[in-house]
Amino acid sequence: MTSSQQSAPAVNAYEANPYAGEVALRINGETLALKLTLGALATLETRLRTGSLIDLVTRFESGGFSAADVLALLAAGLQGGGHRLSEADLAAADIDGGPMQAARTAAQLLARSFALPGEAGAQGPGQGPGSVAP
């Protein structure tokens, strides 16, 4: 595998940078940083066939999101974070905290992607708008 084909390194849960829009999620025993880059957002928008990303944000804020939304959002975040885990692999993966943690992480990833430093979306997991209550 060449250096351009290698996945981004796993990170400690405390190393995800919220000011860079990163969120950490433990998948298959590794803590990975997820991030929505412009390319990942474009892929996500195409994959979900939403009218706009605002429609997706609205679904998360209202609690009207689906498991497919969560899966697509996490897969886009993995892509943006430089990880090579496919959506199919993610669907079969062991995610610490299960589906609820996956949904919380997806909501936080979306919130951080559109928040300026110091805004609510840049806060830690489970804080501020876009977070999914346990």
Side-chain angles (χ1 to χ4, degrees):
M1 184 180 292
T2 67
S3 62
S4 64
Q5 293 174 318
Q6 293 176 350
S7 290
V11 296
N12 180 307
Y14 300 107
E15 291 179 9
N17 183 352
Y19 297 108
E22 293 178 351
V23 177
L25 182 63
R26 194 156 176 82
I27 303 171
N28 293 332
E30 281 188 276
T31 302
L32 304 175
L34 288 71
K35 179 178 181 174
L36 290 176
T37 61
L38 185 58
L41 285 167
T43 299
L44 177 65
E45 197 171 41
T46 300
R47 160 72 175 79
L48 292 177
R49 296 185 182 107
T50 60
S52 71
L53 288 173
I54 299 302
D55 294 338
L56 180 62
V57 171
T58 301
R59 285 202 306 261
F60 269 85
E61 286 179 342
S62 69
F65 59 90
S66 67
D69 290 336
V70 171
L71 184 62
L73 189 50
L74 293 178
L78 285 165
Q79 173 195 342
H83 306 288
R84 303 279 185 230
L85 197 63
S86 72
E87 192 170 321
D89 291 337
L90 180 60
D94 178 33
I95 297 175
D96 282 13
M100 284 303 297
Q101 184 59 40
R104 281 186 206 103
T105 301
Q108 190 65 38
L109 180 62
L110 198 55
R112 285 189 183 171
S113 295
F114 295 100
L116 296 172
E119 288 184 340
Q123 296 172 353
Q127 301 172 359
S131 60
V132 178

